[in-house]
Amino acid sequence: MKEYQGLKIIGIDNGYGNIKTANCCFPAGLTSYDTEPVFKDDLLVYGGRYHLIGTGHKEFAADKTGDDDYYLLTLAAVARELNVYGLTSAKVRLAVGLPLTWVSQQREDFKAYLLRDRDVDFTFRGKEYRMEIAGADVFPQGFAAVASQIRDFQGVNMLCDIGNGTMNIMFINDRKPAADRMFTEKYGTHQCMLSVRENVMRTHHATVDDSIINRVLRFGTADIQEDYLTTIRETAAEYVREIFRILREREYNPALMRLYVLGGGSCLIRNFGEYNADRVTINEDICATAKGYEYLCEMALRKGGAVRAD
């Protein structure tokens, strides 16, 4: 969270797998109830209903305004971030993002979706929160994570942001984003998860828990039988090879440019990829994009202009 003239600027990376703020990360899922549920550690109470945050799985949807889920997840993200600083009320400016090639078309709808109520009261984890939403600004995913270090991007650079639902690719040439070389691929880490489940079932006739798959993808290993581990590793390696194939289709040439990888899928590149470490940078800070949204929002406010990024 950043502060500017009484505003609390809160960056929120509304991913398909996880919701991230500058200081927090939690699964992008929720289950709603008409009556109070038995388990309520992450319970959000809003609009007369009860919402367990972090449960279930949010399916990929190109339009995040199709239901109330991302609005409710945003409220939970704000509460988590305010709680880090011991706050329960604030005047908030939301700094959020959308995939690179979707920003221009979806920005206004997403802003209106988040600004439906300017004064919001809700309860989260047993605490009452009151916030005034003073504005919302929508930035491009991926680029936001490196915006504060843009001066370091000399020469030709390819940026690859691997999320749960999408993979965003863009070029940054001599410290300037190439607006005509930005791409969004529906090839996030969820595709790898699906392939792992399928291959484990086909090879071992067994169902593997997602927590095991996630552990292998993040750390390269898990406390499971070796043949199962081999299947998961081989599937992950194939997924990473496909990522590099897609990058080559988008004109990635390691001899002529540097590659900068970020997002939740960056650990797969580190654990299962074959690459020249001298020419590939892996940023594994899962909160980097949310921090970048805050940076872009604050810089625009300080310049006194409209907060906008195309």
Side-chain angles (χ1 to χ4, degrees), residues 107-307:
R107 174 193 289 112
E108 296 307 319
D109 286 343
F110 197 36
K111 285 177 65 173
Y113 173 81
L114 295 173
L115 296 175
R116 62 175 74 177
D117 294 314
R118 294 302 182 115
D119 296 297
V120 186
D121 297 312
F122 61 95
T123 301
F124 182 63
R125 288 180 166 177
K127 289 185 179 181
E128 294 183 3
Y129 288 87
R130 171 167 293 182
M131 66 175 179
E132 175 189 348
I133 303 180
D137 306 296
V138 185
F139 299 101
Q141 286 178 201
F143 173 72
V146 301
S148 63
Q149 303 102 40
I150 194 67
R151 294 186 179 278
D152 298 333
F153 284 74
Q154 300 183 30
V156 179
N157 305 270
M158 175 180 268
L159 183 71
C160 178
D161 179 12
I162 308 170
N164 183 264
T166 61
M167 179 170 69
N168 289 281
I169 303 165
M170 72 179 299
F171 282 84
I172 301 176
N173 300 338
D174 289 326
R175 303 181 296 278
K176 295 182 179 180
D180 60 340
R181 301 182 76 185
M182 300 189 302
F183 314 96
T184 297
E185 304 276 354
K186 187 185 174 184
Y187 198 67
T189 57
H190 185 59
Q191 300 298 316
C192 183
M193 293 281 289
L194 294 176
S195 294
V196 168
R197 290 179 203 154
E198 181 181 347
N199 286 343
V200 170
M201 177 59 72
R202 183 176 62 248
T203 305
H204 306 284
H205 310 292
T207 301
V208 59
D209 192 88
D210 284 356
S211 63
I212 294 175
I213 301 175
N214 279 320
R215 184 163 188 82
V216 177
L217 299 186
R218 287 184 61 193
F219 304 108
T221 189
D223 185 18
I224 58 176
Q225 194 168 294
E226 189 65 29
D227 54 343
Y228 285 83
L229 184 58
T230 297
T231 299
I232 298 174
R233 284 173 171 167
E234 289 177 349
T235 305
E238 179 58 34
Y239 168 79
V240 172
R241 284 193 289 271
E242 179 64 12
I243 285 178
F244 277 99
R245 186 195 65 77
I246 293 172
L247 296 184
R248 289 192 297 271
E249 281 189 350
R250 299 303 185 182
E251 301 183 4
Y252 171 57
N253 186 333
L256 300 176
M257 63 191 67
R258 293 185 177 275
L259 177 64
Y260 193 99
V261 185
L262 65 145
S266 61
C267 60
L268 277 80
I269 304 296
R270 180 201 65 203
N271 292 328
F272 307 104
E274 297 179 4
Y275 58 90
N276 181 351
D278 292 333
R279 300 191 61 78
V280 177
T281 299
I282 298 177
N283 182 349
E284 295 189 61
D285 180 2
I286 198 169
C287 297
T289 295
K291 294 173 183 176
Y293 294 154
E294 292 183 358
Y295 169 82
L296 289 172
C297 183
E298 182 185 25
M299 290 302 100
L301 288 173
R302 290 189 182 282
K303 289 178 182 177
V307 182

Side-chain angles (χ1 to χ4, degrees), residues 52-111:
L52 270 182
I53 303 299
T55 62
H57 175 72
K58 181 65 179 169
E59 294 184 4
F60 175 85
D63 183 0
K64 294 180 178 178
T65 66
D67 56 33
D68 290 337
D69 288 3
Y70 276 104
Y71 184 80
L72 297 168
L73 291 167
T74 295
L75 296 184
V78 170
R80 281 176 176 262
E81 191 69 10
L82 290 177
N83 184 65
V84 170
Y85 297 90
L87 301 173
T88 56
S89 65
K91 186 176 183 180
V92 173
R93 189 166 192 122
L94 301 174
V96 299
L98 289 169
L100 288 170
T101 58
W102 302 353
V103 175
S104 295
Q105 290 184 332
Q106 296 186 11
R107 174 193 289 112
E108 296 307 319
D109 286 343
F110 197 36
K111 285 177 65 173

